[in-house]
Amino acid sequence: MEKKPKGRPRKTIEALVWRGIIPTTWKEDILQMGREGKNKLHFANYLGISRDLLYTLMEREPDFSGTIKLALEYSQEWWVNKVREGFENDKSNKMNAQLWKYYVENVYRNDWKPAEQQIDRL
């Protein structure tokens, strides 16, 4: 006799799409959100899942993880371009440098670390 697995079935992207929780266009949608400067908070809210589940799916599902990482690359580029455009259009005085620094150091922490931490890595 075959034993049934205990507990809830594992949540997978395929199962979440099949159940209608996540749209079938999730990949394209997440990548577009990244191009608009959005981050993991926005991705999770759009998908209707908790950030905990987002992180769990990133650990379990290579395709999902790759999509999120690529979207974050697009998002990071969007933020860098906003700052560059501000300087090119002489609007840098309207930017809050501390807020921008805080944001990128926390949202894109693998790429933007305080100088002290960068020195430690050398």
Side-chain angles (χ1 to χ4, degrees), residues 44-94:
N45 287 338
Y46 170 75
L47 295 173
I49 61 175
S50 68
R51 281 193 283 172
D52 286 341
L53 181 54
L54 181 108
Y55 291 120
T56 299
L57 290 171
M58 286 180 68
E59 289 173 10
R60 286 189 206 152
E61 306 256 347
D63 189 36
F64 186 76
S65 179
T67 300
I68 297 294
K69 288 176 183 175
L70 182 57
L72 287 172
E73 288 287 325
Y74 291 152
S75 177
Q76 189 174 170
E77 180 181 23
W78 185 91
W79 283 97
V80 170
N81 284 339
K82 285 294 174 193
V83 170
R84 183 185 47 77
E85 289 167 8
F87 279 101
E88 289 175 354
N89 299 324
D90 291 327
K91 294 182 180 177
S92 60
N93 61 335
K94 293 183 179 182

Side-chain angles (χ1 to χ4, degrees), residues 100-114:
W100 187 84
K101 179 181 182 280
Y102 178 77
Y103 182 83
V104 297
E105 282 180 356
N106 285 282
V107 175
Y108 313 109
R109 66 186 68 177
N110 291 335
D111 295 328
W112 298 82
K113 294 184 178 164

Side-chain angles (χ1 to χ4, degrees), residues 25-38:
T25 58
W26 69 269
K27 265 188 200 180
E28 298 83 15
D29 298 343
I30 294 297
L31 292 174
Q32 182 57 39
M33 291 173 76
R35 289 182 190 102
E36 296 168 2
K38 307 263 171 58

